[in-house]
Amino acid sequence: MGAMTKAAPQAKPHRRRHDREIVALAVPAFGALVAEPLFVMADSAIIGHLGTAQLAGLAVASALLTTAVSIFVFLAYATTGAVARRVGAGDLSAAIRQGMDGIWLALLLGAAVIAVVLPTAPALIDLFGASETAAPYAVTYLRISSLGIPAMLVVLAATGVLRGLQNTRTPLYVAIGGFVANAVLNVVLVYGAGLGIAGSAWGTVIAQCGMAAVYLVVVVRGARKHGASLKPDAAGIRASAQAGAPLLVRTLSLRAVLMIATAVAARLGDTEIAAHQIILSLWSLLAFAMDAIAIAGQAIIGRYLGAGDTRGAQAVCRRMVEWGIGSGVALGVLVVVSRPLFIPLFTSDSAVHDAALPALLVVACCQPLSGIVYVLDGVLMGAGDGPYLAWAMLLTLAIFTPFALLIPAWGGGLTAVWGAMTLMMATRAVTLGLRTRSGRWLVTGASR
């Protein structure tokens, strides 16, 4: 009993230290995450005043661009954990060298995407079902915006570098600066220069290139300070690609879940798909809040394991799970309380309102579970446990798909669709929880 009495006061300083670390990394990360979708919102607000066809074209093109960015988000995730490990091992030169390998990989992938998108833009737009009036605007926006994809991917990789270096403030400042520059350039080029939707695309490309340039300046300064080479290294680039491949599989599986859920909702009718879109937008916003904690987890866990401190990694993992549950409860309550105000922001259709409300309550109840999932996802990413994350997400997809596809046959509605989404999160919680409890992710050293 005496030993436990002494242990409790000792645990409090550790918890407070973990809390300070989590807050210091998660709050700026949340700001940067929220700033990203504001790019599309700013473009939408400015282009919307040109006409419906232009706005429709932007919607299709931006959906393609957003998909591309989400597919390559592994550039940030894989780099964060790898860099953090080397920081924990005390080798800042190797940490930045690892980051440079990720940046070179981003440039190569960006060039490949441009080579694919430029000639196939009309076919891609047609595949997404753009109308005859919207298609020309969509093609214009997609072709010009694709020129900014290498910069977008460099931003992802460089963000991962800075997060691994335990720096989430710089990405926040760059994101805010990029958003402001994008908004100003859009107004000037769309209306001042009279370039229309092309002006919006060029404004976004210039803003993205500016953000990438700022990141490169920061990383290059760090490389020179710590004597890290800036030259491309084939072995290092290949290793970055191999580390990112499992996370790519994980991301594609998750995107498949979202696409299946949307396709099922669309089969239920216009009212259901409209309500589904409202709920999905809220679900995505809630995910940003949870993902900020996960990003903190990637950086902190990688550093602890790089330093060989498995007990510290386990302790911070437990504390972050508590943060995830607490955040989930708070967000769930907020959704329930704000539901009378939230849904009318999107529609005045009472049928859509009635369809969305019960599904929204399902989402609210799922938030504590989601908090656990996002945190453990970040912990295992920080540990470099990508292969397990890939297999776990493929298993989740295999369980989710038949349940979701059978909903129309069973006579289920939108609430059933989001019930299936809750099943998906529960499956992820089980698979990630089992892995975390097994301790197999606790691999120490500068590299996994």
Side-chain angles (χ1 to χ4, degrees):
M1 178 69 78
M4 290 190 65
T5 304
K6 292 179 181 178
Q10 290 177 354
K12 288 183 179 179
H14 290 297
R15 288 181 62 175
R16 284 197 293 268
R17 188 180 76 246
H18 294 326
D19 289 346
R20 286 195 297 269
E21 279 190 308
I22 294 167
V23 170
L25 291 172
V27 172
F30 175 69
L33 288 168
V34 172
E36 291 174 12
L38 292 178
F39 268 75
V40 177
M41 290 179 64
D43 288 1
S44 300
I46 293 167
I47 292 300
H49 292 287
L50 293 177
T52 301
Q54 288 91 332
L55 185 59
L58 172 67
V60 174
S62 63
L64 282 164
L65 292 166
T66 302
T67 299
V69 174
S70 66
I71 287 173
F72 293 116
V73 75
F74 71 84
L75 288 166
Y77 290 161
T79 305
T80 298
V83 170
R85 274 184 175 272
R86 285 158 177 78
V87 169
D91 193 346
L92 287 177
S93 176
I96 296 174
R97 175 66 258 178
Q98 176 76 37
M100 284 305 305
D101 292 335
I103 290 172
W104 281 112
L105 176 61
L107 287 170
L108 291 173
L109 290 172
V113 172
I114 289 177
V116 171
V117 170
L118 284 179
T120 62
L124 289 171
I125 295 300
D126 185 61
L127 184 65
F128 267 60
S131 66
E132 291 184 5
T133 54
Y137 297 110
V139 170
T140 297
Y141 190 90
L142 180 60
R143 277 182 166 155
I144 296 172
S145 293
S146 69
L147 300 177
I149 286 179
M152 294 166 68
L153 300 189
V154 166
V155 166
L156 285 176
T159 299
V161 176
L162 295 183
R163 288 173 180 169
L165 294 171
Q166 318 296 295
N167 177 0
T168 56
R169 289 184 178 274
T170 299
L172 172 61
Y173 299 148
V174 175
I176 292 172
F179 168 70
V180 173
N182 177 64
V184 172
L185 286 167
N186 267 256
V187 172
V188 171
L189 296 176
V190 172
Y191 296 113
L195 296 179
I197 196 169
S200 176
W202 281 118
T204 301
V205 169
I206 294 169
Q208 289 162 347
C209 290
M211 292 171 67
V214 172
Y215 274 120
L216 289 176
V217 168
V218 173
V219 174
V220 168
R221 282 179 179 172
R224 288 176 175 170
K225 180 180 179 180
H226 297 287
S229 173
L230 297 173
K231 295 179 181 178
D233 177 67
I237 294 171
R238 187 165 54 251
S240 292
Q242 290 172 345
L247 295 181
L248 175 61
V249 172
R250 166 205 168 272
T251 301
L252 289 174
S253 300
L254 182 56
R255 295 294 300 182
V257 166
L258 298 177
M259 290 175 64
I260 290 169
T262 300
V264 171
R267 290 177 62 187
L268 298 176
D270 290 348
T271 297
E272 284 74 13
I273 188 60
H276 176 75
Q277 182 59 32
I278 293 171
I279 297 170
L280 188 60
S281 65
L282 175 63
W283 191 79
S284 300
L285 180 62
L286 296 171
F288 282 130
M290 301 292 189
D291 209 26
I293 304 174
I295 286 168
Q298 293 171 31
I300 297 171
I301 291 294
R303 195 187 76 233
Y304 271 103
L305 293 179
D309 187 356
T310 57
R311 291 185 66 181
Q314 288 175 311
V316 77
C317 175
R318 286 192 296 270
R319 187 57 180 156
M320 294 190 75
V321 169
E322 292 171 2
W323 269 79
I325 295 171
S327 300
V329 170
L331 290 172
V333 171
L334 183 62
V335 169
V336 173
V337 172
S338 64
R339 71 189 189 282
L341 301 174
F342 178 76
I343 299 177
L345 289 175
F346 292 86
T347 181
S348 57
D349 189 326
S350 59
V352 174
H353 184 282
D354 291 343
L357 186 57
L360 198 64
L361 293 176
V362 172
V363 171
C365 293
C366 183
Q367 288 313 296
L369 183 66
S370 297
I372 297 172
V373 169
Y374 279 99
V375 166
L376 294 183
D377 204 39
V379 165
L380 295 182
M381 282 185 192
D385 207 9
Y388 182 83
L389 289 172
W391 284 111
M393 198 61 225
L394 285 171
L395 174 63
T396 301
L397 176 62
I399 292 173
F400 168 82
T401 301
F403 275 91
L405 294 180
L406 287 172
I407 286 173
W410 291 342
L414 187 63
T415 304
V417 172
W418 282 94
M421 290 289 285
T422 301
L423 171 66
M424 179 270 292
M425 295 301 286
T427 305
R428 293 183 70 190
V430 170
T431 56
L432 298 178
L434 289 174
R435 183 65 168 184
T436 306
R437 288 178 64 86
S438 74
R440 294 178 182 174
W441 56 283
L442 292 165
V443 179
T444 59
S447 60
R448 185 177 172 87

